[in-house]
Amino acid sequence: MTGITVLAEASREFDLLVALPVLMGGRVFGEDRDYRMDEVKGLLLARATSPATRDLIWCEIVKSTRSRGDIWKTVALGMALPGLANLAKQFARDYADTSYEDLCAEVVTAFLEALRTVDVDRPAILTRMYWSTYRAVRRSAYAEVLVAKAVAAATMNAHAESESESGHPDLVLVRLVSENVITAAEAGLISAVRLDRRPLGDVAELLEISPNAVLLRLRKAEMRVAAHLTGTTGSSRRAFKRGRKSEAGSTSDSSESSSRTSFVEEPPGDLAA
């Protein structure tokens, strides 16, 4: 999958799906005929379509992802693709050190989680899913920075205590395995993606799982590493929230840096659809 983003793959799968007899009943939004998926997408993108009609369509799509199989997740990704692509481009500007392929995988993973949890009885369904996606990717980016800082600090401390190679980042991970903070597989995953900078797609192909699955495993391991190396005794979620507040506070004096490194929320760009 090297060089092919998850978003590009989602677009290709949606185009293939359009040729199949996957239809949405127009009665969902007050019409008497069935609509092909490209027609539904056209309605969602049309300026003349009312917000209420968009919500009726998205309500049906979200419910279908929860009850009618993975093909409807492909539908949802295809429908939301313009906005998701804009999010990925914005994150690429903000996090230049992270590969665009990995950022696209982060966006897709977060959006799929939003599909699972969004309340379809409230208005602005797609907008709320975009915001959930935006916040989740920002949290993940923060966790990556926190892990990198913690590993670097642990490395420096180890070098200060000994002139051996015990402070090498990979050996720090080995120590974390011996202390039962992470498993050997998780250490290998962090090393491959964060230290060796291997694309998520390559790692996923090697493990024979999806990039989204790789990302979820990585997130869980990194949260435990961050909590452990920063000396936090609470749960990973509480540790993250405390770190998030600290980060936001430490950057409040610089408007330029806070737009990139803090968690002061900002609009997620121009989200089409």
Side-chain angles (χ1 to χ4, degrees), residues 198-218:
R198 295 185 63 179
L200 281 175
D202 288 358
V203 177
E205 195 169 306
L206 182 66
L207 296 178
E208 298 183 340
I209 58 177
S210 71
N212 291 339
V214 172
L215 195 55
L216 289 172
R217 293 182 187 182
L218 189 64

Side-chain angles (χ1 to χ4, degrees), residues 121-272:
D121 293 325
R122 293 171 54 203
I125 294 172
L126 180 59
T127 298
R128 287 187 287 108
M129 288 196 294
Y130 278 147
W131 271 110
S132 293
T133 300
Y134 173 78
R135 289 190 292 264
V137 176
R138 288 293 296 267
R139 284 195 297 269
S140 180
Y142 177 80
E144 179 183 347
V145 170
L146 187 59
V147 169
K149 288 180 178 178
V151 170
T155 298
M156 292 178 63
N157 291 338
H159 276 307
E161 293 170 3
S162 172
E163 304 230 348
S164 70
E165 294 183 348
S166 62
H168 188 279
D170 274 324
L171 297 181
V172 172
L173 293 175
V174 170
R175 176 168 59 81
L176 291 170
V177 173
S178 69
E179 294 172 355
N180 296 318
V181 178
I182 53 175
T183 67
E186 289 170 334
L189 192 57
I190 293 173
S191 179
V193 177
R194 302 309 189 197
L195 303 183
D196 297 340
R197 313 300 294 178
R198 295 185 63 179
L200 281 175
D202 288 358
V203 177
E205 195 169 306
L206 182 66
L207 296 178
E208 298 183 340
I209 58 177
S210 71
N212 291 339
V214 172
L215 195 55
L216 289 172
R217 293 182 187 182
L218 189 64
R219 281 178 178 173
K220 291 177 181 178
E222 286 180 334
M223 294 299 286
R224 293 199 303 276
V225 170
H228 180 79
L229 291 181
T230 55
T232 305
T233 57
S235 68
S236 295
R237 183 174 296 274
R238 291 196 300 272
F240 170 75
K241 288 182 178 178
R242 282 194 290 272
R244 176 178 174 180
K245 291 178 182 178
S246 174
E247 178 77 4
S250 66
T251 59
S252 60
D253 294 334
S254 171
S255 60
E256 180 177 353
S257 63
S258 68
S259 66
R260 287 179 176 269
T261 58
S262 79
F263 272 72
V264 177
E265 292 178 355
E266 55 195 72
D270 179 20
L271 301 179

Side-chain angles (χ1 to χ4, degrees), residues 28-30 42-58 124-125 273:
V28 168
F29 45 90
L43 282 172
L44 288 172
L45 292 173
R47 292 185 180 276
T49 303
S50 69
T53 298
R54 288 195 178 96
D55 274 342
L56 288 172
I57 293 172
W58 271 107
I125 294 172

